[in-house]
Amino acid sequence: MNKAPMKKRIKVQIATFTTAILLYVGISPYVHAFSHSHLLNHADTYGNISLRNSGNITLPNPLVVTGSLDLENSRIAQLPQQLTVDGNLNLAYSDIEYLPLVFKVGGYVNLAHSKIKELNFGMQVFGDLSLMGTRITKLPDNLYVKGNLYLNNTKLTKLPNKLMVDGNVYIRGTTIHAIPDDARIKGTVFN
């Protein structure tokens, strides 16, 4: 019996399975930065992708993740220009400085201790937003946060115009001393 055809068949089946998972989590199977087997180590059947503690990897553009995307403590320096995450986005302790222009996240956004420099004008977060321990100095006007807003130990000196937060706002360790008249905060401001 010839073993060569059997090996080819196994490789084709693995490649097909990998492509199916990549399409399921919303990543193009033609990503040059990842091999199929490398991505399989980071994706699960629920659509979640975890690249925690990874090096500087180029992510595909556009990137659509049907679950959550975890890039905590990664050295990834840039997000795709178009990013959609149906679940949560964890960028804590990452090298990310800017968010994409086309940016949609269905859950929380964790930017704690990241290198983030600014947020997008009119940004909407449908869960909590954590900026704790960042060097961010200004929040964009018309910021909407459905959950809690964590600003502890940031360099912020004031809250933005037309801030809308359905949960609580945490400002301990900042020099914020006033709430703008046009702010709508349904919860409590904790100092």
Side-chain angles (χ1 to χ4, degrees):
M1 179 174 169
N2 186 351
K3 292 184 181 181
M6 181 67 139
K7 286 181 183 178
K8 281 186 179 180
R9 194 173 326 134
I10 291 171
K11 286 181 184 178
V12 170
Q13 288 173 346
I14 290 172
T16 304
F17 175 73
T18 303
T19 302
I21 286 185
L22 294 175
L23 291 173
Y24 178 77
V25 297
I27 296 178
S28 167
Y30 302 104
V31 177
H32 299 291
F34 297 115
S35 68
H36 293 302
S37 59
H38 185 250
L39 259 183
L40 278 177
N41 292 332
H42 302 286
D44 67 20
T45 57
Y46 299 104
N48 301 311
I49 296 176
S50 178
L51 294 168
R52 291 184 105 162
N53 304 308
S54 65
N56 188 3
I57 298 169
T58 301
L59 297 171
N61 183 45
L63 176 59
V64 177
V65 181
T66 58
S68 295
L69 178 59
D70 187 354
L71 303 178
E72 183 172 334
N73 201 36
S74 73
R75 300 293 56 102
I76 296 171
Q78 186 174 356
L79 293 172
Q81 292 176 352
Q82 297 179 29
L83 176 63
T84 301
V85 179
D86 291 343
N88 303 314
L89 177 62
N90 184 7
L91 300 174
Y93 297 95
S94 71
D95 287 347
I96 299 295
E97 294 181 357
Y98 299 98
L99 298 174
L101 293 177
V102 179
F103 177 74
K104 182 181 177 210
V105 176
Y108 70 73
V109 177
N110 184 3
L111 296 165
H113 305 282
S114 69
K115 294 182 180 177
I116 195 76
K117 291 184 176 180
E118 64 183 40
L119 301 179
N120 301 349
F121 175 80
M123 184 172 162
Q124 296 183 347
V125 178
F126 296 99
D128 294 343
L129 173 59
S130 177
L131 295 166
M132 296 188 306
T134 63
R135 294 183 179 165
I136 200 159
T137 58
K138 184 180 178 184
L139 294 176
D141 292 340
N142 298 310
L143 175 65
Y144 170 70
V145 180
K146 185 173 177 120
N148 297 318
L149 177 58
Y150 298 94
L151 303 174
N152 301 15
N153 302 313
T154 61
K155 300 195 180 289
L156 291 166
T157 58
K158 65 179 187 173
L159 293 173
N161 296 321
K162 298 182 181 176
L163 173 67
M164 294 178 284
V165 180
D166 290 347
N168 300 319
V169 177
Y170 298 85
I171 59 172
R172 186 179 188 129
T174 69
T175 56
I176 297 171
H177 298 293
I179 307 299
D181 291 336
D182 59 359
R184 190 194 86 205
I185 299 171
K186 291 185 179 178
T188 304
V189 177
F190 291 97
N191 189 357

mmCIF file with all atom_site columns, all heavy atoms in Angstrom, residues 52-64:
data_model
loop_
_atom_site.group_PDB
_atom_site.id
_atom_site.type_symbol
_atom_site.label_atom_id
_atom_site.label_alt_id
_atom_site.label_comp_id
_atom_site.label_asym_id
_atom_site.label_entity_id
_atom_site.label_seq_id
_atom_site.pdbx_PDB_ins_code
_atom_site.Cartn_x
_atom_site.Cartn_y
_atom_site.Cartn_z
_atom_site.occupancy
_atom_site.B_iso_or_equiv
_atom_site.pdbx_formal_charge
_atom_site.auth_seq_id
_atom_site.auth_comp_id
_atom_site.auth_asym_id
_atom_site.auth_atom_id
_atom_site.pdbx_PDB_model_num
ATOM 1  N N   . ARG A 1 52 ? -2.816  36.827 23.899 1.00 0.00 ? 52 ARG A N   1
ATOM 2  C CA  . ARG A 1 52 ? -2.163  37.372 25.090 1.00 0.00 ? 52 ARG A CA  1
ATOM 3  C C   . ARG A 1 52 ? -0.669  37.082 25.037 1.00 0.00 ? 52 ARG A C   1
ATOM 4  O O   . ARG A 1 52 ? -0.248  36.014 24.618 1.00 0.00 ? 52 ARG A O   1
ATOM 5  C CB  . ARG A 1 52 ? -2.711  36.732 26.354 1.00 0.00 ? 52 ARG A CB  1
ATOM 6  C CG  . ARG A 1 52 ? -4.122  37.110 26.664 1.00 0.00 ? 52 ARG A CG  1
ATOM 7  C CD  . ARG A 1 52 ? -4.522  36.502 27.956 1.00 0.00 ? 52 ARG A CD  1
ATOM 8  N NE  . ARG A 1 52 ? -4.528  37.570 28.931 1.00 0.00 ? 52 ARG A NE  1
ATOM 9  C CZ  . ARG A 1 52 ? -5.133  37.516 30.087 1.00 0.00 ? 52 ARG A CZ  1
ATOM 10 N NH1 . ARG A 1 52 ? -5.736  36.420 30.454 1.00 0.00 ? 52 ARG A NH1 1
ATOM 11 N NH2 . ARG A 1 52 ? -5.117  38.528 30.896 1.00 0.00 ? 52 ARG A NH2 1
ATOM 12 N N   . ASN A 1 53 ? 0.109   38.054 25.494 1.00 0.00 ? 53 ASN A N   1
ATOM 13 C CA  . ASN A 1 53 ? 1.559   37.909 25.606 1.00 0.00 ? 53 ASN A CA  1
ATOM 14 C C   . ASN A 1 53 ? 2.241   37.601 24.275 1.00 0.00 ? 53 ASN A C   1
ATOM 15 O O   . ASN A 1 53 ? 3.339   37.053 24.266 1.00 0.00 ? 53 ASN A O   1
ATOM 16 C CB  . ASN A 1 53 ? 1.919   36.826 26.629 1.00 0.00 ? 53 ASN A CB  1
ATOM 17 C CG  . ASN A 1 53 ? 1.306   37.109 27.978 1.00 0.00 ? 53 ASN A CG  1
ATOM 18 O OD1 . ASN A 1 53 ? 1.460   38.203 28.505 1.00 0.00 ? 53 ASN A OD1 1
ATOM 19 N ND2 . ASN A 1 53 ? 0.589   36.150 28.529 1.00 0.00 ? 53 ASN A ND2 1
ATOM 20 N N   . SER A 1 54 ? 1.601   37.929 23.157 1.00 0.00 ? 54 SER A N   1
ATOM 21 C CA  . SER A 1 54 ? 2.199   37.639 21.857 1.00 0.00 ? 54 SER A CA  1
ATOM 22 C C   . SER A 1 54 ? 3.140   38.759 21.436 1.00 0.00 ? 54 SER A C   1
ATOM 23 O O   . SER A 1 54 ? 3.125   39.849 21.989 1.00 0.00 ? 54 SER A O   1
ATOM 24 C CB  . SER A 1 54 ? 1.105   37.458 20.802 1.00 0.00 ? 54 SER A CB  1
ATOM 25 O OG  . SER A 1 54 ? 0.402   38.661 20.623 1.00 0.00 ? 54 SER A OG  1
ATOM 26 N N   . GLY A 1 55 ? 3.921   38.491 20.426 1.00 0.00 ? 55 GLY A N   1
ATOM 27 C CA  . GLY A 1 55 ? 4.829   39.484 19.864 1.00 0.00 ? 55 GLY A CA  1
ATOM 28 C C   . GLY A 1 55 ? 4.071   40.437 18.957 1.00 0.00 ? 55 GLY A C   1
ATOM 29 O O   . GLY A 1 55 ? 2.850   40.447 18.911 1.00 0.00 ? 55 GLY A O   1
ATOM 30 N N   . ASN A 1 56 ? 4.800   41.224 18.189 1.00 0.00 ? 56 ASN A N   1
ATOM 31 C CA  . ASN A 1 56 ? 4.187   42.188 17.283 1.00 0.00 ? 56 ASN A CA  1
ATOM 32 C C   . ASN A 1 56 ? 3.730   41.473 16.014 1.00 0.00 ? 56 ASN A C   1
ATOM 33 O O   . ASN A 1 56 ? 4.503   41.240 15.106 1.00 0.00 ? 56 ASN A O   1
ATOM 34 C CB  . ASN A 1 56 ? 5.160   43.314 16.944 1.00 0.00 ? 56 ASN A CB  1
ATOM 35 C CG  . ASN A 1 56 ? 4.472   44.425 16.172 1.00 0.00 ? 56 ASN A CG  1
ATOM 36 O OD1 . ASN A 1 56 ? 3.269   44.384 15.949 1.00 0.00 ? 56 ASN A OD1 1
ATOM 37 N ND2 . ASN A 1 56 ? 5.235   45.412 15.770 1.00 0.00 ? 56 ASN A ND2 1
ATOM 38 N N   . ILE A 1 57 ? 2.463   41.123 15.982 1.00 0.00 ? 57 ILE A N   1
ATOM 39 C CA  . ILE A 1 57 ? 1.850   40.394 14.877 1.00 0.00 ? 57 ILE A CA  1
ATOM 40 C C   . ILE A 1 57 ? 0.996   41.365 14.077 1.00 0.00 ? 57 ILE A C   1
ATOM 41 O O   . ILE A 1 57 ? 0.316   42.209 14.646 1.00 0.00 ? 57 ILE A O   1
ATOM 42 C CB  . ILE A 1 57 ? 0.981   39.242 15.418 1.00 0.00 ? 57 ILE A CB  1
ATOM 43 C CG1 . ILE A 1 57 ? 1.841   38.251 16.178 1.00 0.00 ? 57 ILE A CG1 1
ATOM 44 C CG2 . ILE A 1 57 ? 0.213   38.565 14.297 1.00 0.00 ? 57 ILE A CG2 1
ATOM 45 C CD1 . ILE A 1 57 ? 1.045   37.233 16.967 1.00 0.00 ? 57 ILE A CD1 1
ATOM 46 N N   . THR A 1 58 ? 1.002   41.238 12.778 1.00 0.00 ? 58 THR A N   1
ATOM 47 C CA  . THR A 1 58 ? 0.125   42.043 11.935 1.00 0.00 ? 58 THR A CA  1
ATOM 48 C C   . THR A 1 58 ? -1.217  41.329 11.827 1.00 0.00 ? 58 THR A C   1
ATOM 49 O O   . THR A 1 58 ? -1.286  40.184 11.402 1.00 0.00 ? 58 THR A O   1
ATOM 50 C CB  . THR A 1 58 ? 0.738   42.232 10.536 1.00 0.00 ? 58 THR A CB  1
ATOM 51 O OG1 . THR A 1 58 ? 2.002   42.870 10.687 1.00 0.00 ? 58 THR A OG1 1
ATOM 52 C CG2 . THR A 1 58 ? -0.163  43.077 9.659  1.00 0.00 ? 58 THR A CG2 1
ATOM 53 N N   . LEU A 1 59 ? -2.265  42.032 12.231 1.00 0.00 ? 59 LEU A N   1
ATOM 54 C CA  . LEU A 1 59 ? -3.612  41.475 12.161 1.00 0.00 ? 59 LEU A CA  1
ATOM 55 C C   . LEU A 1 59 ? -4.237  41.801 10.814 1.00 0.00 ? 59 LEU A C   1
ATOM 56 O O   . LEU A 1 59 ? -3.955  42.847 10.229 1.00 0.00 ? 59 LEU A O   1
ATOM 57 C CB  . LEU A 1 59 ? -4.466  42.040 13.293 1.00 0.00 ? 59 LEU A CB  1
ATOM 58 C CG  . LEU A 1 59 ? -3.997  41.689 14.705 1.00 0.00 ? 59 LEU A CG  1
ATOM 59 C CD1 . LEU A 1 59 ? -4.778  42.491 15.737 1.00 0.00 ? 59 LEU A CD1 1
ATOM 60 C CD2 . LEU A 1 59 ? -4.144  40.202 14.960 1.00 0.00 ? 59 LEU A CD2 1
ATOM 61 N N   . PRO A 1 60 ? -5.110  40.928 10.311 1.00 0.00 ? 60 PRO A N   1
ATOM 62 C CA  . PRO A 1 60 ? -5.738  41.177 9.007  1.00 0.00 ? 60 PRO A CA  1
ATOM 63 C C   . PRO A 1 60 ? -6.693  42.362 9.055  1.00 0.00 ? 60 PRO A C   1
ATOM 64 O O   . PRO A 1 60 ? -7.237  42.697 10.102 1.00 0.00 ? 60 PRO A O   1
ATOM 65 C CB  . PRO A 1 60 ? -6.489  39.871 8.734  1.00 0.00 ? 60 PRO A CB  1
ATOM 66 C CG  . PRO A 1 60 ? -6.705  39.263 10.064 1.00 0.00 ? 60 PRO A CG  1
ATOM 67 C CD  . PRO A 1 60 ? -5.547  39.683 10.923 1.00 0.00 ? 60 PRO A CD  1
ATOM 68 N N   . ASN A 1 61 ? -6.889  42.991 7.911  1.00 0.00 ? 61 ASN A N   1
ATOM 69 C CA  . ASN A 1 61 ? -7.781  44.134 7.796  1.00 0.00 ? 61 ASN A CA  1
ATOM 70 C C   . ASN A 1 61 ? -8.758  43.879 6.646  1.00 0.00 ? 61 ASN A C   1
ATOM 71 O O   . ASN A 1 61 ? -8.309  43.597 5.541  1.00 0.00 ? 61 ASN A O   1
ATOM 72 C CB  . ASN A 1 61 ? -6.974  45.402 7.526  1.00 0.00 ? 61 ASN A CB  1
ATOM 73 C CG  . ASN A 1 61 ? -7.857  46.621 7.479  1.00 0.00 ? 61 ASN A CG  1
ATOM 74 O OD1 . ASN A 1 61 ? -8.720  46.804 8.323  1.00 0.00 ? 61 ASN A OD1 1
ATOM 75 N ND2 . ASN A 1 61 ? -7.656  47.455 6.481  1.00 0.00 ? 61 ASN A ND2 1
ATOM 76 N N   . PRO A 1 62 ? -10.065 43.948 6.871  1.00 0.00 ? 62 PRO A N   1
ATOM 77 C CA  . PRO A 1 62 ? -10.736 44.175 8.151  1.00 0.00 ? 62 PRO A CA  1
ATOM 78 C C   . PRO A 1 62 ? -10.706 42.913 9.011  1.00 0.00 ? 62 PRO A C   1
ATOM 79 O O   . PRO A 1 62 ? -10.526 41.814 8.489  1.00 0.00 ? 62 PRO A O   1
ATOM 80 C CB  . PRO A 1 62 ? -12.161 44.508 7.740  1.00 0.00 ? 62 PRO A CB  1
ATOM 81 C CG  . PRO A 1 62 ? -12.357 43.799 6.440  1.00 0.00 ? 62 PRO A CG  1
ATOM 82 C CD  . PRO A 1 62 ? -11.010 43.795 5.764  1.00 0.00 ? 62 PRO A CD  1
ATOM 83 N N   . LEU A 1 63 ? -10.899 43.107 10.307 1.00 0.00 ? 63 LEU A N   1
ATOM 84 C CA  . LEU A 1 63 ? -10.951 41.978 11.234 1.00 0.00 ? 63 LEU A CA  1
ATOM 85 C C   . LEU A 1 63 ? -12.309 41.967 11.912 1.00 0.00 ? 63 LEU A C   1
ATOM 86 O O   . LEU A 1 63 ? -12.714 42.963 12.511 1.00 0.00 ? 63 LEU A O   1
ATOM 87 C CB  . LEU A 1 63 ? -9.838  42.082 12.275 1.00 0.00 ? 63 LEU A CB  1
ATOM 88 C CG  . LEU A 1 63 ? -9.818  41.013 13.376 1.00 0.00 ? 63 LEU A CG  1
ATOM 89 C CD1 . LEU A 1 63 ? -9.691  39.612 12.781 1.00 0.00 ? 63 LEU A CD1 1
ATOM 90 C CD2 . LEU A 1 63 ? -8.694  41.276 14.363 1.00 0.00 ? 63 LEU A CD2 1
ATOM 91 N N   . VAL A 1 64 ? -13.024 40.853 11.795 1.00 0.00 ? 64 VAL A N   1
ATOM 92 C CA  . VAL A 1 64 ? -14.316 40.664 12.448 1.00 0.00 ? 64 VAL A CA  1
ATOM 93 C C   . VAL A 1 64 ? -14.183 39.445 13.350 1.00 0.00 ? 64 VAL A C   1
ATOM 94 O O   . VAL A 1 64 ? -13.862 38.355 12.886 1.00 0.00 ? 64 VAL A O   1
ATOM 95 C CB  . VAL A 1 64 ? -15.443 40.450 11.420 1.00 0.00 ? 64 VAL A CB  1
ATOM 96 C CG1 . VAL A 1 64 ? -16.769 40.184 12.126 1.00 0.00 ? 64 VAL A CG1 1
ATOM 97 C CG2 . VAL A 1 64 ? -15.556 41.657 10.497 1.00 0.00 ? 64 VAL A CG2 1
#
